[in-house]
């Protein structure tokens, strides 16, 4: 079967929810159906102003190319009940890959966003791209294998989140501090050569922000997602879209200087937020006190065991994060701040410090309706967000139109 979804075109548009009559392309017809605004041929004609014969041509092409199905009858307004259109999900899937400093989570999603399967393994990103991506490839092939009589799924696109700066237009990491050997590594090409579909690569906190906004805060247009784990980063959703900046480095708040502290940071500077409040820094200070703490998960364990030093340090870390966040709140004026990452598992202690600093230092107007809350997408945020990135690329109107035009030219 021809891969109608693969293309070099990138898209980070939000889910299609048009409120005014869209253009007349097949891709925009698919967007209307996906959004639920128009799910019959007659509704599409009313929304777009297209002639019914033209609507039929668009819909028939989308059905023939495997984008839509037309089956169940919609409610009748008199006369013969119309048939309902819906996105074809059977047999189609995308992959969402979340690569962290010490873990790898691979998810398989239907093109409707449903999480079909997920697997997490411990993995050290410092082992380099060959070892890490080889493991991802094997895991993804395993998830794609038919099991229990389930029909084989066709992979349509792959999304990948990595814990470092990424030039989004090329999908290549740029001088990532905790990813030795990954600088300018061609991650998209690795997957495209092996799976024959488009791969999109982004910073992990950006895809986490995408998952949170789409899955848990769909009514929120302006959102900040703080990932607090080994390091600290911020994903920005502005007007419903991920904001990456000019080159893709927006949100790198882990290396903002905090107060007069001189704690050395792995970036080469001192006094960075990450060096003060990141999981690696906290674990190091707890270790100096004779406590067993190699990373963020050990900090979580110590807090759950009631260790007072761990509780104190995490609350102080929350205040440091809140100092930086208060400036972001004044500057960006988000509706919601979501805190995720490994340390979000002890959000009672962490968020107490964050909220204390933000509400003390931020403009009252900026905090009037501000919510600061733990992530609701949880440990699967990265895999879900990477998968959503892949879906929104594969089903974007421009991508769908390119696919249909390509096949029409070939015919």
């Amino acid at each position: 079967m021809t891969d109608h979804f693969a293309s070099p075109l990138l898209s980070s548009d939000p889910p299609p929810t048009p409120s005014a009559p869209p253009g007349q392309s097949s891709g925009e017809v698919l967007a209307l159906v996906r959004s639920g605004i128009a799910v019959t041929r007659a509704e599409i004609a009313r929304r777009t102003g297209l002639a019914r014969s033209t609507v039929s041509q668009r819909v028939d092409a989308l059905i023939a190319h495997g984008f839509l199905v037309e089956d169940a009858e919609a409610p009748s307004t008199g006369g013969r009940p119309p048939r309902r259109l819906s996105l074809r999900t059977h047999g189609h899937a995308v992959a969402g890959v979340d690569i962290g400093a010490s873990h790898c989570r691979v998810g398989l999603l239907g093109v409707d966003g449903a999480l079909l399967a997920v697997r997490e393994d411990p993995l050290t990103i410092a082992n380099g791209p060959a070892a890490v991506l080889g493991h991802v490839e094997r895991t993804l092939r395993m998830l794609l294998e038919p099991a229990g009589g389930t029909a084989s799924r066709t992979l349509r696109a792959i999304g990948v989140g990595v814990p470092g700066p990424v030039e989004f237009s090329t999908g290549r990491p740029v001088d990532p501090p905790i990813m030795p050997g990954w600088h300018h590594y061609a991650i998209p090409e690795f997957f495209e050569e092996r799976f024959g579909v488009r791969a999109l690569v982004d910073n992990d906190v950006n895809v986490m922000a995408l998952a949170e906004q789409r899955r848990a805060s769909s009514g929120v247009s302006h959102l900040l997602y703080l990932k607090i784990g080994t390091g600290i980063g911020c994903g920005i959703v502005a007007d419903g879209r991920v904001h990456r900046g000019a080159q893709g480095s927006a949100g790198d708040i882990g290396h903002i200087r905090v107060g007069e502290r001189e704690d050395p940071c792995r970036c080469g500077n001192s006094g960075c937020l990450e060096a003060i409040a990141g999981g690696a820094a906290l674990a190091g200070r707890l270790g100096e006190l004779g406590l067993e703490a190699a990373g963020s998960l050990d900090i979580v364990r110590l807090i759950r065991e009631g260790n007072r030093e761990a509780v104190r340090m995490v609350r102080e870390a929350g205040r440091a994060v809140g100092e930086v966040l208060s400036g972001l709140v004044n500057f960006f004026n988000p509706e919601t701040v979501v805190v995720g990452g490994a340390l979000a598992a002890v959000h009672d202690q962490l968020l107490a410090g964050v909220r204390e600093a933000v509400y003390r230092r931020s403009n009252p107007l900026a905090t009037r309706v501000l919510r600061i809350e733990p992530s609701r997408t949880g440990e699967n945020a990265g895999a879900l967000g990477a998968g959503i990135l892949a879906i929104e690329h594969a089903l974007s109107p421009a991508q769908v139109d390119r696919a249909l035009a390509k096949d029409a030219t070939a015919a």
Side-chain angles (χ1 to χ4, degrees), residues 3-12 156-157 168-171 188-189 192 196-201 393-394 396 398-400 402-403 406:
D3 184 354
H4 301 293
F5 289 76
S7 164
L9 182 66
L10 296 179
S11 171
S12 56
R156 296 305 184 186
F168 185 66
S169 61
T170 65
E189 289 82 349
E192 289 160 13
V197 298
R198 181 65 180 170
L200 299 92
V201 184
H393 160 69
S396 66
Q399 169 65 12
V400 171
R402 285 172 63 94
K406 180 180 177 180

Side-chain angles (χ1 to χ4, degrees), residues 250-276:
D252 190 7
I253 67 168
H255 301 287
I256 293 177
R257 185 175 178 84
V258 180
E260 300 301 318
R261 296 280 293 266
E262 296 296 336
D263 307 60
C265 183
R266 58 189 170 187
C267 73
N269 293 315
S270 60
C272 295
L273 178 61
E274 184 174 301
I276 295 166

Side-chain angles (χ1 to χ4, degrees), residues 93-100 103-111 113-120 136-137 139-140 143-144 155-162 191 195 197-202 207 210-211 215 379-391:
V94 300
V97 180
D98 170 29
I99 302 174
H103 79 275
C104 172
R105 185 177 286 107
V106 181
L108 200 64
L109 287 74
V111 290
L115 186 61
L116 306 174
V118 65
R119 178 184 173 94
E120 180 181 2
V136 172
E137 179 189 358
T139 302
L140 181 52
L143 293 179
L144 285 167
L155 190 66
R156 296 305 184 186
I158 300 171
V160 183
V162 297
F191 288 106
F195 293 95
V197 298
R198 181 65 180 170
L200 299 92
V201 184
D202 203 351
V207 298
L210 183 64
R215 288 296 184 92
E379 62 182 10
N380 285 328
L384 283 171
I388 292 169
L389 185 68
I391 292 169

